[in-house]
Each structure stands twice: as structure tokens, then as C-alpha cells.
Amino acid sequence: MTGSIELRNPRTGRSDGTLPSTTADELTATAQRLRTAQPAWNALGVDGRAHVLRRWKAACDVRRDAIITALAADTGRMRESVQEFDAFLGTIERWANLAPKLFAESRRFTSSLGFIDIDKNLRPYQLAGIISPWNFPLVLSTIDMLPALMAGSAVLLKPSEVTPRFVAPLRESLVDVPELASVFEIVIGDGTVGAQMIPFVDLICFTGSVPTGRKVGLAAAAHFIPALLELGGKDPAIVLAGADLDSASTALLWGATSNAGQACQSIERIYVEASVHDEFVDLLSRKAARIGLCYPTYDTPGLGPIIADRQVPTIERHLADALAKGAVVRAGSSEVERHGGGAWVRTTVLTGVTHDMEIMREETFGPFLPVMAVADADEAVRLANDSPFGLSAAVFAATTEDAEAVARRLDAGAVSVNDATLTALVWEGEKHSFKSSGLGGSRMGPASLFRFLRSQALLIKTNPAVRDPWWYPAD
């Protein structure tokens, strides 16, 4: 395995460098080095590991400008890159605070036999592998890495080949934290490198598309290791009569266009009760029309470019299919625009959409708000659940109780009630991905840490007076 990956600027569409791919020999040596160092890392204990991660946080903060500049160069957006870096530092601090409390919880109790105690011993997977995507390169590379490290695992990370520039300054930060450098390494390459990682690790985390996730899951099964898969979404929103339409339209606009819609938890389809449909669409369209493009400079307010050029044909196909089948553009554009060599999509509101359109069935990953009128909550729930995806959703209604009642009927791992896309902001809510949107334990909340730990039960005889319990054979 030799070669290199191209560094592409999504604002210009041009290549401006390459990075060498990790070779098969390098991968083998790296995995062995991490395994060798992991027992000492685990022996530090959770407080020791928290201390090391806080030192790494400081080392990363010193390189703040370099990391943000690298993220912006690969993604074409600055504001979100700053937010991403700050979220990353916050996540380090959160796990450094929380993990010691989780490990301190007593796991010893007396069994039903009375004289046998059970002590739940937590054993980390020795080497966790992580394959991360391009839409939030730093946050989605570390969202699994940090709890894995706090659990006591060593970590082998392969970020997306589309957005790898942040790797260089991140590696530089590890120079200041040798304890962490011994158990955390980043490899570079395309899907071939990711596939070759799997035989070397004890658990694999993958964030990305459903088709690739299926391949990762099958490969993990072949090696008899767990696969934690966080896959695509086609998140629905329901707006019922009586809801605050001004608030709903603002929330859904943000939920659909954050990072130019390039997020798995983006709102990608909206069902509005017929009696308020026209008013809602008018509000949404007026607000959408005010959002421009972040061009020609990073400082220009508006949406950034499409980060991965390979995503553009999907966006173009979905939009063309919708328009050919009768959808109407109420705000935005009927095509992908090219500016300065990059691909850009305006905030686009569509009406006249139906479920025979790809834009209502398949993940688009762009700033589209297709709005469909429904008769009532029952029809809205039926259509929202008519999807192979079940990542998250949103419901707006006249009262919190009404919205909650509808939310409980949706096949989605997390539902924002009278707001949208809250999983991007609130991490404590443990959830599972429904249907094809994922597999494995919750990535959110305290449960995220325990995905990297195996339970070992110590069955301890506590009363020496019980010499011959009933299950011993008679003399």
C-alpha cells in the first residue's frame, strides 16, 4: 500500500498539495506500538488519564490558529471551523470531568445467594479503531476517540482523506504530551487504509454513509469484533397547527442549513399541517432568501461551499429529479452554482414535493428544505416514519405536551421538541440510531464511555463458614 492523497480547496476546486498515505508496514508497526503502550496507559487510572488529556487540551489550544486554519482550508468555512475547535476543547474538558465520576460509581453488590458478592470489573478494549468523515473533521474524529481514551483504550484514527490537513498540527500537539502520543496515532489514506485497519483493532467506530457502513460492519463481523456505526440520516420535521410558526421556521432554517446542510442530523424534509402550510412556507421562504453565500471571502456572511466534490452529483441529481416531478423552488436556486471553482448551494425551499422524489427519500447533504402539506398529525407521523433512516427528528406543536405525544411515535433516536437539531448542541441525551442510521451503543451521554469497556464479573465468596453449599457433590 503506497501512494498519496490529494489536498483540495473546496472554495477554489483546485488541488494544492498531497500527503503520503500510510503504508501496510507502517500500519502494522503502529498498531503493535499502540498495543504495547496500552497497559501502562490503563494503569494510570482514570484520574491520571484525565490529567494527561487536560495537558493535551492546553497543547492544542497553543496551536489553535494552526488547527483552525487547517480545518478552514479543507472545508471552505471559517465560522464553523472556529466553533468546531472550541467544541473539541470543551469535549476534552467534559470527559476529563465526567469519566472519574463514572468510574467511581460502586459496581459491587451481593447476589441472591447472600454469601456471594459480585464485583463488576471494567476492562477496556485494548485498541480501538476510528474511521471518521469529512463534514466535521475534528469533532467527528474525536467524538469517539476521547471516551475511548478515558476508558483506557489505545486509539488508531483514520480521518477522511477529503479533509486531512488538521492532522499535522494535531500531531505536533502530541509532542508536548508523550504519554498520549504513545497510545494515540493517526493514519492517512483513503478507504483502502480504513479497510486494512480493521484486522488490527479490537473494536471499530465508523461515521459515514450507509453503504460504506455496511462494508465496515461485515468486515468487523468477519474478524469477530464490535462495530459501532453512526450512519446517515434523512431527518424529518413536523409542524402542526397551533405551533409558533415564526419560531419553527427559524429553528428549521438553522437545522437544515448549518454547515450548508452537510451534517447527518440536518433537517432534510418538513411535513406541515395543511391549515398552516402556506403561512409557514411564506415565512420560511422570506427568511431563506436572506441567507447568502460565504463568498468571495471567509468573512462574507452566508453558507460555505460543498466540501466534498463527490457529493455534488448527488445534490444535482436530487434537485433535478424533484424539479422534473413537479417540485417548485420558493427560495434559493434550481442548480448548484460554481463560484471561484468551488461548488455552492443556496438555501433552497421546495414545495410540491412527494415521496416519489429522491430529495424526500435519500440523504442529500445540502441546504434544502422540502416542505410537504399533510392533513394531520397521523399523516405526518406516517410519512416521517416512511424512511429507511431513523437518526433524529423534530416536532413543533401548540403545546409541549402535544409535541411530545407526536415525538414518541417517531422512529428516530432523538427528537427535538419545539426546536430542531438539538443533538448538535446537547450531548447528555443517550440515544440509539434507528433502522439504517446506525448500530451499537449510544454515542451520546455517559453510555458513550461504556462502549469501550467490557464487563468482567468477579464472583466472590464472602462467608467462609459456608463450606459445603448445596451444589457441591456429596462425599
Side-chain angles (χ1 to χ4, degrees), residues 5-8 14-19 165:
I5 59 173
E6 178 184 280
L7 300 176
R8 175 183 173 274
R14 292 193 294 270
S15 172
D16 52 11
T18 60
L19 285 177
R165 284 183 234 235

Side-chain angles (χ1 to χ4, degrees), residues 198 204 206 212-223 225-227 229 439:
I198 292 175
I204 188 74
F206 172 81
T212 304
R214 290 185 187 277
K215 294 177 183 178
V216 171
L218 288 170
H223 291 279
I225 64 170
L229 308 177
L439 192 67

Side-chain angles (χ1 to χ4, degrees), residues 126 174 180 232 251 292-293 401 406 466:
Q126 189 171 18
L174 294 171
L180 183 59
L293 300 177
E401 293 74 19
V406 173
V466 182

Side-chain angles (χ1 to χ4, degrees), residues 110-140:
T110 300
S111 74
S112 58
L113 291 177
F115 59 93
I116 302 293
D117 277 4
I118 299 174
D119 193 303
K120 183 179 177 181
N121 186 34
L122 299 177
R123 300 277 298 275
Y125 287 94
Q126 189 171 18
L127 180 57
I130 297 172
I131 302 173
S132 60
W134 48 261
N135 53 325
F136 289 97
L138 179 60
V139 162
L140 293 181

